[in-house]
Amino acid sequence: MRHRIYDSKYHFLTFFDDQTGAYLRTGILEDRKDTGVDPFMASFPHLIDVGIMGHCAHGKSGLCAKAGIGCYQSGRTVEAPNMALEDFAEIVRQCAGKVNQFALGGRGDPDMHEHFGEILALCREHHIVPNFTTSGFGLTEEHAALCARYCGAVAVSWYRSSYTLDAIQMLLAAGVRTNIHYVLGRNSIDEALDRLEHNTFPAGINAVVFLLHKPVGQGSRENVLDPDDPRLARFFALLDHNTLPYKLGLDSCTIPGVVNHCANLELAALDTCEGARFSCYISADLVMLPCSFDQERRYGVSLRDHSIQEAWDSPQFDAFRAPLRAACPTCPQREVCMGGCPLKPEIVLCRRSQRTT
Ligand code: SF4
Ligand code: SF4
């Protein structure tokens, strides 16, 4: 099914295909003509990261740390209840007809939620495509069958373990569009280069999506990639000329690096940080944030007291948008990059003199 939404506040159209995940956004329209100017934001989020998990079933065992990944949600130390099914249903009710996709997440694997199947079904009943990322540690064939029935895509975090490979195979066998999510940091970029150069990610996957390491939660500052790291040039060259049998993707947090290293990629098809512009995060205890990496909740709005629309229109969300609107005014790539991450300037892969963030 194709969704077509006209944003009457900011005057642009979006199209979303819930079978393929294809998403198209026009420029700002005037007299039904595309002006070629991209809208800065939407009047309601198009994608919401819904943190249904309040705690991690595998946190105590230190699954992330053993895999060399610092959980940004501090799943090893923080225990909180998962999102209640009725709270999730209320989010769905407010989003129906406006939001295309939910990225289910939070502090743990969404497939471990006690109402996992009902949550997926609720999304589809309201024409919202659910996607999620899992470590794969507890994934069963029953979960994989639910994913095949309801999900757009499922990502398995690259934890370099037998359960990683087993989960990928289980999902592929069930016919699920399966991606790998790979956290890219100083400690993992060598392996990424080696696997891309020698094509050693598992066969049959749809894409490898690289997520830039951030110093949040248990993610360390030492592991943040330096913009001058010479390995980045090799990494972006591989992305710029992908000859692999699967797609390569990046989170929007990596866009400054793309802007500075890639000449071949179509920048018009990429978007920089979408936090509070086209996406947001809702935690298991119903606090809405521009981005899940705002773990200090500097920009949080409680959905116990406010609707999603009110949170989206709040002064907190506007304060988050302010640097994206104003950063790096003299940079020729300003419109594409907007200065990068408003939360953690130290992750921005840019050394240009025009940078103001
Ligand atoms: S706020 Fe930072 S971490 Fe969050 S999506 Fe934007 S760039 Fe990424
Ligand atoms: S100067 Fe600013 S807008 Fe330009 S590429 Fe660097 S971070 Fe992005």
Side-chain angles (χ1 to χ4, degrees), residues 18 56 64 92 115 169 201 225 264 279 293:
D18 66 11
C56 177
C64 290
V92 168
H115 297 294
Q169 290 316 320
F201 281 112
L225 276 162
N264 212 30
S279 68
F293 285 92

Side-chain angles (χ1 to χ4, degrees), residues 148-227:
R149 181 159 175 207
Y150 294 117
C151 292
V154 176
V156 180
S157 298
W158 189 248
Y159 278 14
R160 310 165 173 82
S161 302
S162 56
Y163 58 80
T164 313
L165 302 176
D166 291 348
I168 291 169
Q169 290 316 320
M170 215 185 288
L171 290 165
L172 288 174
V176 178
R177 188 178 290 125
T178 306
N179 296 332
I180 288 172
H181 276 182
Y182 190 108
V183 178
L184 193 70
R186 286 171 70 135
N187 68 346
S188 64
I189 190 166
D190 283 331
E191 182 194 345
L193 289 169
D194 187 69
R195 288 194 176 275
L196 295 177
E197 284 166 352
H198 299 99
N199 187 17
T200 58
F201 281 112
I205 55 167
N206 174 61
V208 182
V209 181
F210 291 95
L211 313 175
L212 196 58
H213 168 84
K214 290 119 188 147
V216 175
Q218 286 154 357
S220 75
R221 214 157 263 276
E222 296 69 51
N223 200 24
V224 172
L225 276 162
D226 187 300

Side-chain angles (χ1 to χ4, degrees), residues 23-222:
Y23 171 79
L24 182 94
R25 192 189 297 152
T26 67
I28 295 170
L29 302 173
E30 262 175 31
D31 298 330
R32 299 186 173 202
K33 291 207 184 87
D34 193 323
T35 59
V37 178
D38 283 341
F40 174 76
M41 62 181 285
S43 56
F44 196 86
H46 291 173
L47 183 150
I48 301 185
D49 197 347
V50 187
I52 58 173
M53 302 304 291
H55 58 273
C56 177
H58 325 306
K60 292 253 176 340
S61 68
L63 203 69
C64 290
K66 280 182 202 154
I69 289 164
C71 174
Y72 77 96
Q73 296 251 13
S74 303
R76 284 180 81 181
T77 50
V78 183
E79 282 266 341
N82 293 336
M83 185 178 283
L85 188 59
E86 43 289 11
D87 287 339
F88 185 79
E90 174 56 23
I91 293 171
V92 168
R93 192 193 64 73
Q94 291 187 40
C95 293
K98 300 179 188 168
V99 173
N100 298 318
Q101 302 183 66
F102 280 171
L104 303 175
R107 197 175 291 115
D109 289 337
D111 42 292
M112 294 292 108
H113 194 287
E114 52 277 23
H115 297 294
F116 179 61
E118 288 148 286
I119 283 172
L120 296 185
L122 255 173
C123 293
R124 279 291 178 177
E125 275 166 33
H126 292 82
H127 306 293
I128 296 169
V129 176
N131 304 306
F132 71 97
T133 309
T134 176
S135 73
F137 188 75
L139 196 86
T140 63
E141 286 185 3
E142 289 71 33
H143 291 135
L146 284 169
C147 296
R149 181 159 175 207
Y150 294 117
C151 292
V154 176
V156 180
S157 298
W158 189 248
Y159 278 14
R160 310 165 173 82
S161 302
S162 56
Y163 58 80
T164 313
L165 302 176
D166 291 348
I168 291 169
Q169 290 316 320
M170 215 185 288
L171 290 165
L172 288 174
V176 178
R177 188 178 290 125
T178 306
N179 296 332
I180 288 172
H181 276 182
Y182 190 108
V183 178
L184 193 70
R186 286 171 70 135
N187 68 346
S188 64
I189 190 166
D190 283 331
E191 182 194 345
L193 289 169
D194 187 69
R195 288 194 176 275
L196 295 177
E197 284 166 352
H198 299 99
N199 187 17
T200 58
F201 281 112
I205 55 167
N206 174 61
V208 182
V209 181
F210 291 95
L211 313 175
L212 196 58
H213 168 84
K214 290 119 188 147
V216 175
Q218 286 154 357
S220 75
R221 214 157 263 276
E222 296 69 51

Side-chain angles (χ1 to χ4, degrees), residues 212 214 216 251-254 256 272-275 279 290-294 320 324 340-344 347-348:
L212 196 58
K214 290 119 188 147
V216 175
D251 58 4
S252 55
C253 328
T254 318
T272 190
C273 176
E274 295 203 325
S279 68
C291 166
S292 60
F293 285 92
D294 180 14
F320 179 91
L324 292 165
C341 183
L343 289 176
K344 296 281 166 195
I347 68 162
V348 176

Side-chain angles (χ1 to χ4, degrees), residues 255-257 259-260 272 327-341 348-357:
I255 292 302
V259 161
N260 286 316
T272 190
C328 316
T330 60
C331 175
Q333 300 291 6
R334 206 224 90 79
E335 290 312 308
V336 186
C337 172
M338 299 186 189
C341 183
V348 176
L349 296 172
C350 180
R351 283 270 188 248
R352 288 188 191 220
S353 58
Q354 301 102 330
R355 188 174 162 202
T356 60
T357 51

